[in-house]
Amino acid sequence: MAIALLLASSVHADIDPKNFDTSVKPQDDFYQYANGGWRKANPIPAAYSGWGVFNEIDERNKVELHTILDRAAAAKNPGFIEKLVGDFYASGMDEKAIEAVGLTPVQSELAQIAGLKDISQLPAFLGHLHLLRVGAGFGFSSEPDPSNSTMAIATSWQGGLGLPDRDYYFRTDDQSKKIREQYVAHIAKMFELAGEAPAIAESEAAAVMKLETALAQASRNHAALRDPLANFNKMSVANLQKLTPHFAWADYLAAIGVPNPGEIDIGQPEFFTAFDAQLTATPLADWQAYLRWNFLGSVANDLSTPFVNENFAFYGKTLGGTLELQERWKRILGMVNGNMGEALGQLYVAEYFPPASKTRALELVGNLRAALRERLQTLEWMDAPTRAAAIKKLDALNVKIGYPDKWRDYSKLVIDRGPFVLNALRAREFNSHYQLNKIGQPVDRAEWGMTPPTVNAYYNPNLNEIVFPAGILQPPFFDAKADDPVNYGAIGAIIGHEMTHGFDDQGRQYDGAGNLHDWWSPASTAMFKERTARIIKQFNDYTVLDNLHLNGEVTQGENIADLGGVKLAYAAMEKALAGHSREPRGGFTPEQRFFLSFATNWRINERPEGLRQQVLTNEHSPGRFRANGPLSNLPEFWQAFNVPEGAPMRRSLADQVTIW
Ligand SMILES: [Zn+2]
């Protein structure tokens, strides 16, 4: 693929008319106008369910990381970090050895599942599986205490489902029914690959589906999970034990190495009640089938080709519409990043993240922060006490750029040249202990939640921080050499987006210290909710495929952030341009170039299957709506492109929303 040969150093961010589709007017569909040419020239490669700007950058990163890994694997006298990632990568690339050993390295795990004699052994064994990151039953880890963000506590939440979301178990349309049938067939196929007779595999798969459906029935839907207060339920182990009388928490906690966790945040108590009921309602043999399925599904990608292919056939092809598997080196690279990303990240930033990028990115963040501060000072709908608290929260916002100041310590992680699946399981266990060891300890505010090569960014409400890994600070999002309209339109809007998350439907419920604490007056809350209700309606009204609508409730946080992000970035650019030349370039004003650059952020081609899955499971709206949704509300955009009243890209005054 041509893009894979382009190295970052040869790519620059700029407005390129080749990417336009001039058969469409900006006022009718700005997304298509700005990106139609690019979309036509960039069909989806067979190994992807969609292809967009995030993939373009990620693909360049992969080429760079590939060089690093090949070099590390071949190094004669590697340092510790080089040896760690080099050995892991080499064992994952050793296809011959992986095919030769098949399931042998994990037979002892399967034997343990088969050897369970009584449901009372489940808690300890589930603890063991959770250390291996096998997601059976429920989730368990640590988190900053939502009511005291300086300390980490234990947290447990609903889980244990193999389909992407609980609603997949209950939708009644033909397509959803078919996916459920294919899912059960996939589970049976995995059992057969593990050596079971077809008839037994089939009946066990049906039992797994029955148990998962019961867990799904008790699971909250995506919209209900958005409410941080309703999903914060701290209780003592003694009270948790009363909630789930058939599950010996002492055994589970001993198995994960946290015998005395203190209070645990049980996100969804009613789920645990239902989980407990299944311990008596579901026969042990069915639980064993469920554990076997969870284990096999979890390690499938670390095993031989039949398992990898079967896993891909369902999760890649059926759910995502992807036509073929990614090349092995890309898949293993993804696992290096997932399992030891701060080791790989050290080698990556040393070579590929220029210090100038950090300086320029910090300058952009500073100007975005100033724009939001100004906005908070003048916002018409907030009362004075809420305004003062909002400004205080913004002033406390922490910013992280590029990579962590201190790296994680991997010295206790044992990696060798194979078998690969055992390397993967040791890395998972190492990472589980790393998270669990935080329980009862002060929160380390220097820690990062994404690895440096990641092409993404985040706002963490518990720490009130925005974080931009080196991976995303690249063209076309960001270019230290590009002019202001290009940088503010692209990365500036993303920075503004992350900042706005601190003030979206979820983020606004946390204060500047990262605690769940209501700092809003009832009047300002009412004004905020009136505005978000209109955002929810706008996005509910968008149709994506056939009659599949966006879920305005689930996507509201991202949509609020998109709208705020582009507005703030625009204000910051206007400030940065003051006193500078405003000459048009390539026939476009700085304002027009800003919006063209903004639209670049969302260019993408998607397969219908992948798009459907995104709409049903993801809180981000598809690219088209992330561009056109915010801009149709933005007078600054209407002005830049002379969008007349009544045009599709200009909402009526009654419909238009401004929040931040
Ligand atoms: Zn976001």
Side-chain angles (χ1 to χ4, degrees):
M1 193 170 17
I3 192 77
L5 301 172
L6 295 172
L7 292 179
S9 55
S10 64
V11 179
H12 297 288
D14 204 355
I15 305 301
D16 184 351
K18 274 207 305 294
N19 294 332
F20 300 170
D21 173 358
T22 51
S23 74
V24 175
K25 284 191 207 156
Q27 67 191 49
D28 291 338
D29 180 351
F30 191 69
Y31 170 78
Q32 182 61 21
Y33 166 76
N35 298 321
W38 181 91
R39 295 182 71 217
K40 205 168 164 196
N42 288 274
I44 307 169
Y48 294 81
S49 69
W51 186 260
V53 67
F54 285 80
N55 301 95
E56 288 177 80
I57 300 174
D58 191 51
E59 205 66 9
R60 287 201 308 261
N61 287 1
K62 281 190 181 122
V63 172
E64 294 166 352
L65 294 166
H66 193 190
T67 313
I68 290 173
L69 288 172
D70 274 343
R71 198 193 304 141
K76 289 280 179 285
N77 289 306
F80 176 79
I81 289 298
E82 240 188 329
K83 181 166 161 42
L84 185 81
V85 301
D87 283 351
F88 188 86
Y89 179 69
S91 75
M93 290 305 290
D94 192 348
E95 213 171 340
K96 242 182 169 166
I98 291 170
E99 301 302 336
V101 297
L103 257 191
T104 313
V106 294
Q107 282 297 359
S108 63
E109 297 292 340
L110 296 170
Q112 283 186 65
I113 295 172
L116 292 173
K117 295 275 182 290
D118 191 276
I119 199 75
S120 64
Q121 294 173 294
L122 187 76
F125 192 70
L126 209 52
H128 165 69
L129 287 183
H130 284 178
L131 287 181
L132 301 180
R133 301 246 158 143
V134 175
F138 56 84
F140 198 100
S141 189
S142 60
E143 68 177 2
D145 183 342
S147 60
N148 172 20
S149 67
T150 61
M151 293 299 290
I153 58 168
T155 175
S156 195
W157 61 93
Q158 68 182 42
L161 306 181
L163 285 170
D165 180 83
R166 57 93 63 198
D167 288 348
Y168 274 69
Y169 292 82
F170 307 112
R171 281 198 192 88
T172 53
D173 58 286
D174 289 347
Q175 189 148 8
S176 300
K177 283 184 201 157
K178 196 170 159 214
I179 286 178
R180 283 197 291 276
E181 280 165 25
Q182 288 169 303
Y183 177 55
V184 175
H186 164 61
I187 299 171
K189 197 78 207 293
M190 291 292 279
F191 285 151
E192 280 186 53
L193 290 176
E196 285 177 26
I200 294 177
E202 207 175 299
S203 76
E204 288 193 342
V208 170
M209 188 59 170
K210 188 169 171 234
L211 179 50
E212 287 193 10
T213 306
L215 297 178
Q217 188 71 59
S219 298
R220 294 186 188 175
N221 71 20
H222 201 159
L225 292 171
R226 288 193 63 75
D227 181 343
L229 208 53
N231 288 279
F232 174 45
N233 294 288
K234 204 158 65 162
M235 62 176 81
S236 65
V237 175
N239 282 339
L240 177 55
Q241 192 55 67
K242 278 183 213 145
L243 190 71
T244 56
H246 304 96
F247 189 81
W249 281 95
D251 294 357
Y252 175 84
L253 294 168
I256 61 170
V258 191
N260 300 301
E263 287 188 302
I264 304 177
D265 172 14
I266 298 295
Q268 301 78 30
E270 73 282 6
F271 173 83
F272 286 87
T273 303
F275 169 79
D276 187 72
Q278 289 307 314
L279 297 175
T280 48
T282 299
L284 176 65
D286 293 356
W287 273 105
Q288 286 171 301
Y290 172 74
L291 298 179
R292 195 175 301 123
W293 151 241
N294 270 274
F295 183 80
L296 289 170
S298 174
V299 298
N301 283 330
D302 310 328
L303 295 173
S304 52
T305 303
F307 290 95
V308 173
N309 285 351
E310 178 54 36
N311 188 65
F312 172 74
F314 182 71
Y315 288 104
K317 241 181 214 166
T318 300
L319 288 181
T322 313
L323 303 178
E324 58 182 55
L325 200 59
Q326 284 192 22
E327 294 153 89
R328 173 170 286 277
W329 71 264
K330 289 185 187 169
R331 287 182 276 129
I332 304 302
L333 190 165
M335 292 189 214
V336 179
N337 190 39
N339 283 298
M340 48 198 76
E342 285 202 13
L344 180 62
Q346 291 179 44
L347 304 174
Y348 171 72
V349 298
E351 210 160 327
Y352 294 104
F353 188 62
S357 291
K358 186 162 183 166
T359 313
R360 181 89 164 102
L362 278 171
E363 178 195 319
L364 282 160
V365 171
N367 292 344
L368 261 296
R369 188 200 282 263
L372 178 51
R373 202 169 197 283
E374 208 157 283
R375 190 79 193 116
L376 290 174
Q377 279 162 343
T378 55
L379 211 56
E380 59 286 354
W381 56 267
M382 247 183 175
D383 58 20
T386 310
R387 186 192 309 283
I391 291 171
K392 203 171 146 208
K393 176 168 181 179
L394 177 64
D395 287 345
L397 179 77
N398 187 34
V399 180
K400 293 175 178 172
I401 301 277
Y403 55 91
D405 290 334
K406 69 170 186 189
W407 296 101
R408 261 188 72 182
D409 173 12
Y410 289 96
S411 59
K412 299 256 158 56
L413 173 57
V414 178
I415 295 297
D416 54 31
R417 291 267 163 158
F420 178 60
V421 64
L422 296 185
N423 270 338
L425 290 175
R426 278 196 301 271
R428 292 182 190 198
E429 199 168 354
F430 173 82
N431 286 318
S432 294
H433 284 303
Y434 175 77
Q435 295 301 338
L436 293 168
N437 286 343
K438 295 176 186 172
I439 295 169
Q441 302 294 319
V443 169
D444 177 3
R445 298 186 86 90
E447 197 184 28
W448 281 53
M450 281 180 185
T451 70
T454 306
V455 187
N456 210 335
Y458 66 94
Y459 172 76
N460 180 351
N462 287 132
L463 300 183
N464 190 26
E465 65 177 7
I466 51 174
V467 185
F468 301 88
I472 199 171
L473 297 172
Q474 298 191 59
F477 288 142
F478 171 77
D479 185 345
K481 297 188 194 86
D483 66 4
D484 283 333
V486 168
N487 274 327
Y488 280 93
I491 196 75
I494 293 174
I495 294 168
H497 170 104
E498 300 305 343
M499 276 182 190
T500 307
H501 270 318
F503 303 90
D504 72 13
D505 62 311
Q506 295 183 311
R508 75 174 192 89
Q509 300 187 49
Y510 296 81
D511 64 18
N515 293 321
L516 271 178
H517 163 232
D518 190 359
W519 46 268
W520 290 64
S521 71
S524 290
T525 299
M527 297 295 259
F528 178 82
K529 288 194 168 161
E530 185 271 322
R531 281 163 171 74
T532 52
R534 278 191 281 154
I535 286 282
I536 292 170
K537 179 173 183 323
Q538 284 185 9
F539 282 79
N540 274 337
D541 286 347
Y542 282 128
T543 312
V544 184
L545 281 167
D546 323 323
N547 50 11
L548 180 67
H549 281 252
L550 283 184
N551 185 332
E553 189 83 34
V554 166
T555 57
Q556 63 175 305
E558 296 300 331
N559 299 331
I560 293 167
D562 281 341
L563 178 56
V566 66
K567 192 173 179 75
L568 294 171
Y570 183 91
M573 176 198 70
E574 286 298 318
K575 259 197 148 149
L577 282 180
H580 289 79
S581 156
R582 307 183 66 95
E583 281 294 296
R585 278 182 60 180
F588 294 101
T589 66
E591 287 77 10
Q592 289 173 327
R593 296 178 72 246
F594 169 92
F595 288 114
L596 288 164
S597 185
F598 169 72
T600 300
N601 285 355
W602 311 121
R603 67 189 183 196
I604 188 168
N605 286 308
E606 296 132 312
R607 298 190 197 281
E609 295 90 341
L611 193 55
R612 182 175 298 275
Q613 188 180 355
Q614 177 180 359
V615 172
L616 296 178
T617 62
N618 198 298
E619 64 271 23
H620 298 86
S621 302
R624 169 182 299 277
F625 307 99
R626 298 191 71 172
N628 287 353
L631 297 187
S632 68
N633 283 294
L634 211 65
E636 295 89 331
F637 168 74
W638 307 339
Q639 199 184 359
F641 281 92
N642 294 316
V643 179
E645 267 177 53
M649 287 298 304
R650 180 168 176 168
R651 291 184 183 274
S652 69
L653 279 182
D655 190 18
Q656 187 265 352
V657 191
T658 303
I659 304 180
W660 299 111

